[in-house]
Amino acid sequence: MSLTEKASPIAPGITPPRHVAIVMDGNGRWARARHLPRTEGHRQGVGAVRRTVRFCAEQGVEVLTLFALSSENLQRPKVEIATLFELFLSVVDQELPQLEKAGVRLRFIGDIHAFSSRLQGYIHRAQERTRDNTGMTLVIAAGYGGRWDLTQAMQRLALQVQAQALRPEQITPQLMEEQLTTVGLADPDLFIRTGGEQRLSNFLLWQLAYTELFFSEVLWPDFDETELQRAFEFYAKRERRFGRITEAK
Ligand code: IPE
Ligand code: MG
């Protein structure tokens, strides 16, 4: 499919999720099955990122959050991390004009202090260049961990308490949300994890409290529109009660 061609819309009447959050897993296994180095799996995964961004933008998804690199992933061998960073950099660089044209707003969440200053510069520039766009928000979680996010939020609140700008009893879930890296974004409606594992792996722990969870056996480099459509249809069938009960008829 070309970049300008429209994806066929999902069944009429189906409302797409507003915020989709994805754990892109299975690159290593995809490569191993082909007797290739793990890094080749990551390279192939870029295609799946492109397909996913395009499909979600076309379907009217408002926010797409991709887990690119967890805080824990940073402990992988240096060559693998180097490839991931290099890929990350070249994808942001190459895709930026296309994303700008599509009106996509980029936002990065995570602790990027460990990244090279070159990469940090790219991240800041990409955010700046797309900040006034009004299309889909593409959130890239890099160096991200749900526990890290919660911890940094608590540290900021603690500083306010210490400065006597806030009393502990004034801390509410809303106040917590204002300190999380996802401030201003609605919580994800649909979580997708590829690669067959059924766990959250320290992704958006607070934000996924009421999210519908879809686990796919497909390895990330093979992830495509057909599987995304399956996930959206699964989401459309869910009845979301947010802890309440369905109203009696
Ligand atoms: C996911 O693929 C990509 C990243 C974590 C960056 P993996 O590298 O975890 O692939 P598997 O799980 O080993 O197959
Ligand atoms: Mg994995």
Side-chain angles (χ1 to χ4, degrees), residues 5 18 28 34 38 48 55 84 86 117 122 132 136 149 199 219 226:
E5 209 178 316
R18 289 177 58 196
R34 287 160 183 78
R38 292 178 55 82
F55 182 89
L84 281 167
E86 177 214 312
S117 52
Y122 261 83
D132 296 325
M136 184 175 80
D149 200 357
R199 51 179 175 248
L219 302 175
T226 308

Side-chain angles (χ1 to χ4, degrees), residues 24-29 38 73 76 193 197 199:
M24 311 181 286
D25 196 21
N27 294 350
R29 279 163 284 162
R38 292 178 55 82
N73 286 158
R76 289 188 182 188
R193 181 179 185 134
E197 308 285 4
R199 51 179 175 248

Side-chain angles (χ1 to χ4, degrees), residues 46-100:
V46 175
V49 172
R50 285 202 186 95
R51 290 192 288 276
T52 303
V53 170
R54 193 167 51 205
F55 182 89
C56 288
E58 283 165 352
Q59 297 291 337
V61 168
E62 290 167 28
V63 184
L64 171 64
T65 301
L66 301 176
F67 204 3
L69 199 69
S70 73
S71 342
E72 292 74 26
N73 286 158
L74 295 171
Q75 284 150 30
R76 289 188 182 188
K78 281 206 168 60
V79 285
E80 184 165 346
I81 298 297
T83 309
L84 281 167
F85 278 0
E86 177 214 312
L87 265 178
F88 196 62
L89 219 123
S90 70
V91 171
V92 172
D93 199 31
Q94 274 172 29
E95 301 295 311
L96 203 54
Q98 190 72 28
L99 292 172
E100 276 187 302

